[in-house]
Amino acid sequence: MLQQSFPAPGLLNRVPRVTVDFWLIKLMAVTMGETAADYLAVNMGLGLTATSLIMTAVLVVALVLQFAQKRYIPWAYWLAVVLISVVGTLVTDNLVDNLGVPLETNTIAFALLLAVTFAIWYAMEKTLSIHSIYTTRREAFYWLAILLTFALGTSAGDLVAEKFEFGYLVTAIIFAVIIAAITAAYYVLKLNSILAFWLAYILTRPMGASIGDLLSQPREYGGLGCGTIVTSAMFLGIIIATVIYMTASYEPEKTLEGNTFKS
């Protein structure tokens, strides 16, 4: 157990508890991020550069709203997650398609950047727990890590599905099996909860992106041909319904000893 100085009683955690609906909406968000980015850049004809600039600006506004809350508000938090999922996808797509950076290089680079982010975060805060996000600095580290997990997951998913030619379905299954193994290690082998969370969080991105591509891409490219509009709308509907449920059942999580400071 890490020795930490506790905040003043009554401070609220700014991110949600890790529950079943958390993982459901997170998977929907990362899946929609993949298809929405493709829809805006390709189907609407905006192109990668224009789409990236527009969505980055929208994300900045969403993050300003999120940081202003000082506690977890479902609609503000998940709006930021959906938008950061889109932007994370676009970051990777720009590097690969516009700058010609290989997927292998992207994957390694984002993994290293994420590792450095975690190292600095831990060095400054002595914890990587998402149950103690109660200051602006911790929240900044949190959202930077989230962005990097999305960019890393996009690169890793495309690397396995396209470069290694496993296809979207097999790639989704591969990452699902790895996530299941991490879950088993947490419950059976008592894997550290913080490590288990971040590993699963990273890997849900390539799994979700592969599911999105499987549903949206034309059959000649290994997809089911549902299209980006139908796929994005379907997952957006699930996200909205889940956020409404979360809002109705929300209870603030205070940063108190024995609750949010488990390590």
Side-chain angles (χ1 to χ4, degrees):
M1 175 71 72
L2 294 174
Q3 298 298 316
Q4 304 175 43
S5 57
F6 294 94
L11 287 178
L12 300 176
N13 201 32
R14 301 184 186 183
V15 301
R17 297 182 182 92
V18 182
T19 58
V20 172
D21 49 12
F22 171 92
W23 289 114
L24 171 63
I25 196 171
K26 199 273 181 177
L27 182 60
M28 297 301 104
V30 299
T31 304
M32 182 184 168
E34 181 74 16
T35 58
D38 290 343
Y39 171 72
L40 294 170
V42 179
N43 296 76
M44 289 192 66
L46 296 178
L48 276 176
T49 301
T51 301
S52 300
L53 292 174
I54 293 170
M55 295 311 299
T56 298
V58 175
L59 172 60
V60 169
V61 173
L63 286 175
V64 169
L65 289 173
Q66 165 61 25
F67 274 82
Q69 303 307 314
K70 306 304 180 186
R71 65 188 180 97
Y72 169 59
I73 302 296
W75 71 264
Y77 175 87
W78 290 107
L79 174 63
V81 169
V82 170
L83 290 171
I84 212 167
S85 177
V86 175
V87 172
T89 299
L90 291 168
V91 168
T92 296
D93 288 347
N94 271 285
L95 289 171
V96 174
D97 297 337
N98 284 347
L99 301 178
V101 180
L103 285 168
E104 297 92 334
T105 303
N106 280 331
T107 303
I108 294 171
F110 284 127
L112 291 174
L113 287 172
L114 183 59
V116 170
T117 298
F118 282 141
I120 297 174
W121 181 357
Y122 186 81
M124 297 183 71
E125 300 294 338
K126 306 306 179 187
T127 181
L128 299 178
S129 174
I130 66 163
H131 299 296
S132 59
I133 308 297
Y134 63 90
T135 66
T136 299
R137 187 168 72 180
R138 288 190 180 188
E139 189 173 6
F141 276 121
Y142 175 85
W143 286 110
L144 176 58
I146 296 299
L147 175 60
L148 291 173
T149 63
F150 285 134
L152 170 59
T154 301
S155 297
D158 289 348
L159 179 65
V160 175
E162 299 173 7
K163 189 66 178 291
F164 295 162
E165 299 183 349
F166 279 91
Y168 301 123
L169 177 59
V170 174
T171 298
I173 292 173
I174 289 173
F175 285 107
V177 169
I178 298 173
I179 292 170
I182 293 170
T183 303
Y186 170 68
Y187 284 107
V188 178
L189 303 178
K190 306 304 179 184
L191 177 67
N192 179 272
S193 61
I194 297 174
L195 176 61
F197 170 80
W198 283 111
L199 287 175
Y201 201 97
I202 293 168
L203 293 171
T204 51
R205 173 58 185 173
M207 184 178 75
S210 298
I211 293 172
D213 283 334
L214 175 66
L215 292 171
S216 64
Q217 292 300 314
R219 294 182 184 276
E220 57 266 30
Y221 296 122
L224 298 178
C226 296
T228 55
I229 298 177
V230 172
T231 304
S232 298
M234 178 176 63
F235 287 114
L236 179 60
I238 297 173
I239 290 170
I240 292 173
T242 308
V243 169
I244 292 173
Y245 166 77
M246 285 179 163
T247 302
S249 60
Y250 169 62
E251 293 181 3
E253 182 181 11
K254 294 183 179 180
T255 53
L256 297 177
E257 185 173 4
N259 179 16
T260 59
F261 277 84
K262 295 177 182 178
S263 300

